[in-house]
Amino acid sequence: MAEPVEQTEESLFEAPPLAEQERMIEAILFATAEPMTLREIAARLPHGCDPAEAMVHLRKRYTGRGVELCRIGDAYVMRTAADLGYLMQHETVETRKLSRAAIETLAIIAYHQPATRAEIEEIRGVSVSRGTLDQLLELDWIRFGRRKMTPGRPVTFVVTQEFLAHFGLESPRDLPGLKELRSAGLLESRPAFGEMPGVDSEEEPEATEGQSELFED
């Protein structure tokens, strides 16, 4: 909508009552998303209006309401009250794919728990970054276990109930067998997996249907 031309000549009519000027300013600010200065507001009001005085009364009227009249620099705008901002939030579930390093680390912990960081690195053949473990801890799929009674008493990692619930497992024994792990490429140059507790290297148990999802690349 085109901006009205500023009126420079005196009007033959009296300015609207102050209460009506407040209503006009309220309507203007309600309809715009950008802050407006008093000069911009005055250009929209009838000649003779006093937007500065009307604004003072209007701001008082909105004090403590769900919507407040805020001053930003030399401009004004209507905004949701700060303490009610949480009502405007919209939560969404973001699906994030685990990195290969995180999947391998998670698999090693699941099969070798309780497993220390050094043991994980020995099986993978590469160092485990702190970020990988932090990600799994943040997901609540692993937790700290008891410290090992070895020199230095290193902390161990074990899978959580949340991990089992997410993949529909009753216990770590329901994890995929060697066949599924090999098909996912997680056993290449990793003979240590053959020593997984509860998994016979000669007889490969079938995985529970749908559980190979954990090991998809």
Side-chain angles (χ1 to χ4, degrees), residues 66-148:
V67 176
E68 296 179 346
L69 185 50
C70 305
R71 180 169 181 172
I72 302 178
D74 60 349
Y76 298 85
V77 67
M78 280 185 159
R79 293 280 168 83
T80 301
D83 62 319
L84 298 180
Y86 70 95
L87 296 173
M88 307 298 111
Q89 295 177 353
H90 177 65
E91 296 184 1
T92 58
V93 177
E94 179 183 358
T95 302
R96 293 184 299 173
K97 186 176 181 180
L98 287 178
S99 65
R100 187 177 185 84
I103 293 176
E104 292 183 356
T105 300
L106 181 62
I108 292 170
I109 294 173
Y111 280 102
H112 289 267
Q113 62 177 338
T116 65
R117 182 170 180 169
E119 290 170 341
I120 297 171
E121 292 176 341
E122 181 180 359
I123 294 172
R124 290 193 64 227
V126 294
S127 61
V128 179
S129 70
R130 178 67 182 271
T132 297
L133 292 172
D134 286 344
Q135 183 184 16
L136 295 175
L137 287 167
E138 182 182 348
L139 286 171
D140 196 25
W141 282 359
I142 66 171
R143 63 177 176 83
F144 294 110
R146 293 182 178 180
R147 291 183 177 273
K148 278 204 168 183

Side-chain angles (χ1 to χ4, degrees), residues 4 12 23 32 50 59 102 121 186:
L12 299 177
R23 291 183 65 242
T32 181
D50 188 347
R59 292 189 70 185
E121 292 176 341
L186 296 180

Side-chain angles (χ1 to χ4, degrees), residues 106-114 141 143 157-161 163-165 167-177 181 196-199 205-208 211 214-215:
L106 181 62
I108 292 170
I109 294 173
Y111 280 102
H112 289 267
Q113 62 177 338
W141 282 359
R143 63 177 176 83
F157 299 94
V158 297
V159 294
T160 64
Q161 288 294 113
F163 164 81
L164 297 176
F167 293 101
L169 304 174
E170 291 186 13
S171 74
R173 295 176 188 151
D174 297 321
L175 285 163
L181 296 177
M196 293 178 183
V199 180
E206 293 295 325
T208 303
Q211 298 311 310
L214 170 62
F215 304 98

Side-chain angles (χ1 to χ4, degrees), residues 3-4 28 34-45 75-76:
E3 289 280 344
I28 292 171
E34 299 297 328
M36 294 185 67
T37 64
L38 289 177
R39 185 181 184 86
E40 292 171 332
I41 293 172
R44 295 175 178 268
L45 297 176
Y76 298 85

